[in-house]
Amino acid sequence: MLGSVLSAGLKVASAGLTFLMFMLLARVLGAEEYGLFASMFALGTIGAITALFGQHTLSIKTLSALGDGPERAADRRFALRRSFQITLVGAVLVIGAILGAGMAAPVLGFDVNPVYLIGACALVIPFALAELVSHQYRGFGSILWALAPRDVLWRAIVLLACLGAASLPFVFRDAFTAMIGISLVLMALVVVQLIAMLIRYRDQFAAQPGAQVTATMPWGVSAWMWVASLGTMGASLNLSAAALFLPPDQIGAYFAAQKTSQLLQLPIIAINIAATPVFARLHSQNDISGLCDVGRKLAMLIAGPLAIGAAILIFFAPDLLSLFDPSFAAAALALSILAGSYLLIGLGGPTRPLMLMSNGERPVVRMTLISEAVGLMLIPILVPAFGIVGAALAALVVRVLFTLQTVAWCRTKLGVDTSILSLLPGGRQTG
């Protein structure tokens, strides 16, 4: 619970900085360049999550299960080294795939801006490493070091650069330079995080001479964990697919609506950050009663604030979007739909981390693929007919399907209810 409070506090700070950062970027770049920036950012995010091959989720599960005893130092060192090797190889493969697709596009009759592809590639390695290091800090139990560098410092530095853009016009003169700038800042912070980790936790890796990695350590890439992690990039996938049918200024408006609605996702992420290592530990101890108790408390903690936040976003939707660009107010209905979708996810509780920490990778993959496939199939139908509102409706369908499936699985397979239903009379699970 203390971890939840700390992560929630950092996420509140991150929420304000995130909103201000993307708002000022929109004002500095203008509607069309901001749309190009949004497309690069979405593709770069997809590439980064793909490049991780699930190592961020696998790292937190492995490190949490290993504990802090000196007898597992060799295992921790092996897990850390392997995760970075796989991530860097994955990033090279993803960047090659993006650039290769760009070169093949003219042959297939598509007109792809190479600047858009290069800008997206610039974000892949910093973003992937930032995710990996953040999850590893969470595995060691350090919420502050896991969240503060990227969620607070990175956004604050970019925000200050936006404020100074008038006197430093070369920094944000267009979408490409903005993307390169924020990527370099993020990479610098990741290097600081990594050095601090190696110094702070050096005793955790100080294995005795001749110590061997135990046979129970996961050696290879977990394909199921990797595919399951791809579900976290649903918003970026939704925007990238919708961008095929939208002009740049509407892409920028929809990106602004996404980023504003994601203010509601931050308390959800804060809960997940604190809950994930707890779920891993309790499941390894086969403590179903403990899982039930944690799930019920988290449902109680998040329900009220999330409902209030959604109501505020819906009521002030046009005003909030106008802060990005006056023309973006037309995306108010899309913002309201997206806010409702995140409210639904929150009321379902931390089902994804519970399943991933309870050997539910395969069901998560199946549910993610089903939900995202339905959403992607809806985009060519809904976006041409309803524009960005259609894209928001497709995102809503994805989140409804996924939440219903995961809540049902946790209740039936684990006997654990993490949803708001656990607070109702007769809804309490005992394990």
Side-chain angles (χ1 to χ4, degrees):
M1 297 298 289
L2 290 175
S4 296
V5 172
L6 177 59
S7 60
L10 289 170
K11 283 299 180 180
V12 168
S14 173
L17 291 171
T18 299
F19 183 80
L20 290 173
M21 181 181 81
F22 285 110
M23 181 193 75
L24 289 180
L25 280 169
R27 288 180 170 271
V28 169
L29 295 174
E32 289 198 10
E33 283 294 319
Y34 188 66
L36 179 59
F37 172 85
S39 299
M40 287 191 289
F41 193 90
L43 182 59
T45 301
I46 292 172
I49 300 300
T50 302
L52 281 164
F53 284 101
Q55 291 305 301
H56 55 321
T57 310
L58 190 60
S59 289
I60 192 173
K61 182 177 181 179
T62 302
L63 292 174
S64 297
L66 287 175
D68 55 5
E71 70 279 1
R72 303 303 295 272
D75 292 341
R76 283 188 288 271
R77 187 167 58 194
F78 169 79
L80 193 73
R81 182 186 299 117
R82 179 206 53 204
S83 66
F84 279 100
Q85 290 171 343
I86 294 175
T87 299
L88 290 174
V89 170
V92 171
L93 293 175
V94 166
I95 291 173
I98 292 174
L99 296 178
M103 290 187 289
V107 178
L108 300 175
F110 294 99
D111 183 17
V112 178
N113 187 344
V115 170
Y116 156 70
L117 298 177
I118 296 173
C121 289
L123 186 64
V124 171
I125 292 179
F127 199 96
L129 292 179
E131 275 288 296
L132 180 61
V133 174
S134 175
H135 280 68
Q136 288 170 345
Y137 267 110
R138 288 167 57 190
F140 286 120
S142 178
I143 299 295
L144 181 64
W145 272 94
L147 299 181
R150 186 179 63 176
D151 284 29
V152 178
L153 290 179
W154 179 49
R155 288 162 170 79
I157 292 171
V158 175
L159 179 61
L160 291 174
C162 288
L163 292 174
S167 56
L168 299 171
F170 60 89
V171 177
F172 294 119
R173 67 172 181 267
D174 53 33
F176 179 74
T177 55
M179 182 59 68
I180 296 298
I182 69 172
S183 299
L184 289 174
V185 172
L186 182 58
M187 189 68 224
L189 290 175
V190 170
V191 170
V192 172
Q193 267 186 299
L194 182 57
I195 293 174
M197 178 193 293
L198 296 177
I199 295 174
R200 182 177 181 183
Y201 298 108
R202 59 182 178 273
D203 293 339
Q204 299 271 14
F205 308 109
Q208 294 295 325
Q212 299 294 317
V213 175
T214 61
T216 58
M217 281 293 291
W219 287 81
V221 175
S222 172
W224 294 107
M225 192 72 79
W226 173 50
V227 179
S229 71
L230 300 182
T232 61
M233 66 182 187
S236 297
L237 190 63
N238 174 267
L239 185 139
S240 294
L244 299 174
F245 305 94
L246 297 171
D249 57 332
Q250 289 192 32
I251 298 173
Y254 186 53
F255 186 69
Q258 277 195 349
K259 290 304 174 184
T260 304
S261 69
Q262 285 172 0
L263 293 173
L264 294 176
Q265 193 181 25
L266 292 172
I268 299 172
I269 295 174
I271 291 295
N272 290 349
I273 286 171
T276 301
V278 177
F279 287 152
R281 184 175 65 253
L282 292 175
H283 182 264
S284 67
Q285 299 168 355
N286 198 31
D287 187 355
I288 303 302
S289 295
L291 290 173
C292 291
D293 185 56
V294 171
R296 188 168 54 251
K297 288 179 178 177
L298 293 178
M300 180 174 59
L301 184 65
I302 198 172
L306 198 60
I308 294 172
I312 292 173
L313 289 190
I314 292 172
F315 186 79
F316 292 104
D319 303 296
L320 291 171
L321 291 172
S322 294
L323 295 174
F324 291 80
D325 189 275
S327 65
F328 288 0
L333 180 55
L335 171 55
S336 299
I337 295 171
L338 293 172
S341 71
Y342 280 119
L343 174 60
L344 177 70
I345 291 176
L347 296 181
T351 53
R352 180 189 290 273
L354 174 58
M355 292 179 68
L356 292 179
M357 297 301 108
S358 304
N359 299 322
E361 295 95 337
R362 295 191 181 194
V364 168
V365 168
R366 183 182 67 251
M367 296 168 189
T368 299
L369 292 178
I370 291 172
S371 304
E372 294 294 344
V374 172
L376 289 176
M377 287 188 293
L378 288 175
I379 283 179
I381 301 171
L382 296 178
V383 175
F386 303 106
I388 57 178
V389 172
L393 288 172
L396 174 63
V397 170
V398 171
R399 289 160 192 166
V400 168
L401 287 176
F402 183 79
T403 301
L404 292 178
Q405 291 179 91
T406 55
V407 169
W409 190 91
C410 291
R411 286 172 63 90
T412 58
K413 299 297 184 181
L414 297 177
V416 178
D417 192 350
T418 64
S419 75
I420 192 66
L421 298 176
S422 66
L423 303 180
L424 299 178
R428 180 171 177 168
Q429 299 292 314
T430 61

